[in-house]
Structure formats: structure tokens, C-alpha cells
Amino acid sequence: KDVQKEREPHVYLSKEEVKEKIQSYNSSVTDKLKMTLNANGIYTGFIKVQMELCRPITVQSSQSQGRCAPSNQETAFYLPDGCVNTLHISSTNTVREVIEALLKKFFVADNPAKFALYKRCHKEDQVYTCKLSDREHPLYLRLVAGPKTEMLSFVLREHETGEVMWEAFSIPELQNFLRILDKEENDQLQLLKNRYAAYRGKLEAALRGVLNPG
């Protein structure tokens, strides 16, 4: 169930409260992805982000990585369903920074403005998914919820179609989308043709049996 962004007040914890929560968090961790509190009060840790992308992403080739100018050596493809990535971040990192770091980690050339980070949580035997604002801090949410992903998990999605900033797409990206849509349309059309051809064959065989019994 998708819901609108929840207006949850950010509780500012004291350094001692943060220390206690981190100790409690680390004592419950089962995958060794613990949090670390630094002397300046900033803490670091890990979050896992599930990729739920419906549209293809554009990835830079190894030759074009690190260049500032756009390159033709880019590939657009669909990311496999259920792909989960782990990021090491700090308590100061915002949602927008997490999205940018995630895309950079996998050399995704798409504009970060095309994506949004969602949180998924269980409440009253139901699963809720809501969009996070760019200024929220995912590691703080992870700390408060605890390490169990059943209580809280993060999901990367594209913005809804009505929210898409189409001007953020490059001409090659838009052309790639059109080619993919054309291929999907042709595939579906061929499936329909094959299905009706099979029906036609069965009907013609049945008619021949009726008109020429024995």
C-alpha cells in the first residue's frame, strides 16, 4: 500500500541517547553491518536499498567512466527485479545524497532527479510504502527502527509518470526508451498473431472434420 509522505517529526537525540541506541542496535545485528559512533557525534553505518525500477537505466561503459562530457559508450538496460545494494553512509547523509551515491556506485548515468527513495514498513499487519523527502536522513531512520528489514526497508524507484522530469532525459536516453517500447509492442503483437493463428488452425481443423466426416 503506497501512502503519501508521512509528516513525522525528527526527534533530536542527545549524544548519550544516540550512544545507547547504537549499542542496542549493534547488539541486535545479525549480518555484521554495525554502526559506529564517532567522537564528534556523527555515526556511520550501513543501509540496504532494494531496486524497484520499471524503466531502463543508462550505464556508462568502462571507457567513458570519469569523463565529464557525454559519451556514446553508454548502455540502457532493465535492472533485474529484487536487486539489493548495500551502502555505507553517515548520519549526516540526506536522501538525495544517498540516491546520488547509489547511482555513482554502479556508474548509472541517469539524472538523480529521476529517482526517489521510499521507506517500507509494517504497521498493523499491513505493509506501507511512502516517499521520503530529499532532506531526510536514512541512517537515522535505520537507527530508530532497528536492524530488522521487516520493520523498515528502503526502496529506490523512479518518480511516478506524472512526476517525471522529462527534460532531465538526454536525447539518446529518450531514443532508447522508444526503441525498447517499439520492441515490447512488436513482441506483444507477435504473441497475439501466434495465438490467433493457433485458434484459426484449430477451427479450420474442426470445420474439415464436420464437412468431411470419416
Side-chain angles (χ1 to χ4, degrees):
K1 180 179 179 180
D2 287 355
V3 297
Q4 295 295 322
K5 170 68 186 70
E6 297 179 358
R7 298 298 177 184
E8 296 179 352
H10 186 103
V11 179
Y12 291 93
L13 304 174
S14 67
K15 187 175 179 179
E16 188 59 34
E17 288 174 324
V18 169
K19 182 179 179 180
E20 291 176 359
K21 281 190 172 293
I22 289 177
Q23 289 175 342
S24 175
Y25 182 98
N26 289 342
S27 66
S28 302
V29 166
T30 57
D31 54 12
K32 298 183 180 180
L33 300 181
K34 297 185 177 183
M35 294 194 187
T36 302
L37 179 62
N38 300 315
N40 58 5
I42 296 174
Y43 51 96
T44 59
F46 299 84
I47 62 169
K48 295 181 179 180
V49 181
Q50 183 170 346
M51 314 290 275
E52 291 186 356
L53 304 180
C54 299
R55 295 186 287 272
I57 58 173
T58 304
V59 177
Q60 296 176 337
S61 66
S62 57
Q63 290 85 357
S64 62
Q65 291 164 12
R67 298 178 183 175
C68 296
S71 170
N72 292 328
Q73 296 174 321
E74 295 179 346
T75 304
F77 66 92
Y78 285 98
L79 201 66
D81 291 336
C83 180
V84 177
N85 293 296
T86 302
L87 284 179
H88 185 246
I89 62 174
S90 81
S91 55
T92 61
N93 289 133
T94 62
V95 163
R96 179 52 46 190
E97 290 171 336
V98 166
I99 293 174
E100 291 172 355
L102 188 61
L103 299 181
K104 183 178 180 180
K105 180 178 179 181
F106 296 96
F107 306 107
V108 177
D110 298 274
N111 192 320
K114 302 172 191 174
F115 304 92
L117 192 66
Y118 290 75
K119 71 174 182 179
R120 181 176 290 155
C121 53
H122 291 251
K123 290 183 179 179
E124 299 175 356
D125 297 328
Q126 292 192 42
V127 179
Y128 293 87
T129 303
C130 60
K131 181 180 174 182
L132 297 173
S133 70
D134 286 348
R135 296 181 180 180
E136 291 192 76
H137 298 86
L139 195 60
Y140 167 80
L141 298 175
R142 178 79 279 159
L143 176 63
V144 172
K148 293 184 179 179
T149 54
E150 295 84 1
M151 299 300 297
L152 173 72
S153 59
F154 296 104
V155 180
L156 183 72
R157 293 179 178 176
E158 301 98 341
H159 284 295
E160 297 298 329
T161 303
E163 301 178 274
V164 174
M165 300 171 60
W166 293 109
E167 64 276 12
F169 288 81
S170 66
I171 296 299
E173 285 178 308
L174 293 172
Q175 290 173 337
N176 269 329
F177 295 162
L178 287 175
R179 282 194 291 270
I180 291 171
L181 288 174
D182 286 341
K183 182 180 183 303
E184 291 180 347
E185 182 180 5
N186 290 333
D187 289 345
Q188 290 299 319
L189 182 59
Q190 190 59 48
L191 284 174
L192 286 174
K193 287 182 177 180
N194 293 341
R195 184 182 302 171
Y196 282 103
Y199 288 159
R200 179 184 293 275
K202 291 179 180 179
L203 286 172
E204 290 175 345
L207 283 172
R208 285 194 297 271
V210 172
L211 297 175
N212 302 297

